[in-house]
Amino acid sequence: MKRELIQLKIFQVLVDALLILTAFALSYFLRIGFFFSSDFPFEPYATIALVTTPITIFFAFFARTYKLSQRVLSFRHIQRVGFVAIVNVAVFMILYYFTYKSFFSRLILVYIGALTFLFMYTWHVIFRWILQTMSAKEIGVYRTLVIGAGRPAEQTIRLLMAEKSHIKPVAVIDAYGSSKKMIAGVPVV
């Protein structure tokens, strides 16, 4: 994998972790109010949130949320981010309950799940735009030789070009020769 893409993916994971922690903090203040409560102290809550976040990121990798060829605007990616948000809530709930034996509010769990989903999915859409912008500038692009000039190859090339993918077809070869000279701006040799 290209160094630029690896750096971008690390950046994406770090921002996801920061957004998950932000979701925890905002959930606390939405439920309690914008002050620190003595009935539900912030310190143990934040401690469990800090422990939960890396576990959630691990499950995001497990759910293939960071797959490079991800179609972010697809229903499958929405499902993956939703799964990660549910895991975030479940892990937090289990860790908090078994550590402190009581819980202040169930509504805060709803806030955590909803905000985790909202923040992560919005960031993934923005990150997709960043990748497409970098791909247009030829940064982190994989130049690809397509073998075959048939209909499936043509559909694949058109899809890659339409999505401004980091995979850029530069030429097409066909073992049997082809009457086509270009496919979506890619030369057939």
Side-chain angles (χ1 to χ4, degrees), residues 9 64 66-72 163 165-167:
K9 280 300 181 178
R64 300 183 70 186
Y66 300 116
K67 189 170 78 168
L68 191 57
S69 60
Q70 188 74 273
R71 296 178 106 187
V72 174
E163 290 190 0
S165 174
H166 64 282
I167 300 170

Side-chain angles (χ1 to χ4, degrees), residues 7-107:
Q7 291 171 345
L8 279 172
K9 280 300 181 178
I10 290 171
F11 177 67
Q12 181 186 21
V13 171
L14 291 175
V15 171
D16 269 349
L18 185 63
L19 289 174
I20 290 169
L21 289 172
T22 303
F24 277 116
L26 190 57
S27 298
Y28 178 87
F29 291 117
L30 284 174
R31 178 62 185 105
I32 304 302
F34 287 92
F35 55 88
F36 293 106
S37 170
S38 58
D39 295 333
F40 186 47
F42 185 73
E43 186 178 331
Y45 175 83
T47 303
I48 298 299
L50 282 170
V51 172
T52 301
T53 299
I55 297 169
T56 302
I57 294 296
F58 170 77
F59 275 98
F61 276 105
F62 178 73
R64 300 183 70 186
T65 308
Y66 300 116
K67 189 170 78 168
L68 191 57
S69 60
Q70 188 74 273
R71 296 178 106 187
V72 174
L73 300 177
S74 69
F75 183 66
R76 179 164 312 274
H77 190 70
I78 291 172
Q79 288 175 320
R80 288 177 174 148
V81 174
F83 169 75
V84 170
I86 291 169
V87 165
N88 190 37
V89 170
V91 169
F92 176 80
M93 182 176 58
I94 290 168
L95 288 176
Y96 194 91
Y97 180 75
F98 284 112
T99 304
Y100 297 107
K101 306 277 189 266
S102 64
F103 203 71
F104 181 77
S105 170
R106 291 181 301 260
L107 183 59

Side-chain angles (χ1 to χ4, degrees), residues 81-148:
V81 174
F83 169 75
V84 170
I86 291 169
V87 165
N88 190 37
V89 170
V91 169
F92 176 80
M93 182 176 58
I94 290 168
L95 288 176
Y96 194 91
Y97 180 75
F98 284 112
T99 304
Y100 297 107
K101 306 277 189 266
S102 64
F103 203 71
F104 181 77
S105 170
R106 291 181 301 260
L107 183 59
I108 202 167
L109 298 175
V110 174
Y111 288 154
I112 292 168
L115 290 174
T116 299
F117 176 81
L118 179 70
F119 290 169
M120 279 186 73
Y121 187 73
T122 303
W123 166 238
H124 286 210
V125 171
I126 292 167
F127 187 77
R128 174 182 175 261
W129 176 80
I130 292 169
L131 280 179
Q132 287 178 338
T133 303
M134 293 190 75
S135 177
K137 294 179 181 177
E138 301 284 327
I139 299 172
V141 170
Y142 285 106
R143 298 182 195 300
T144 306
L145 175 66
V146 178
I147 300 173

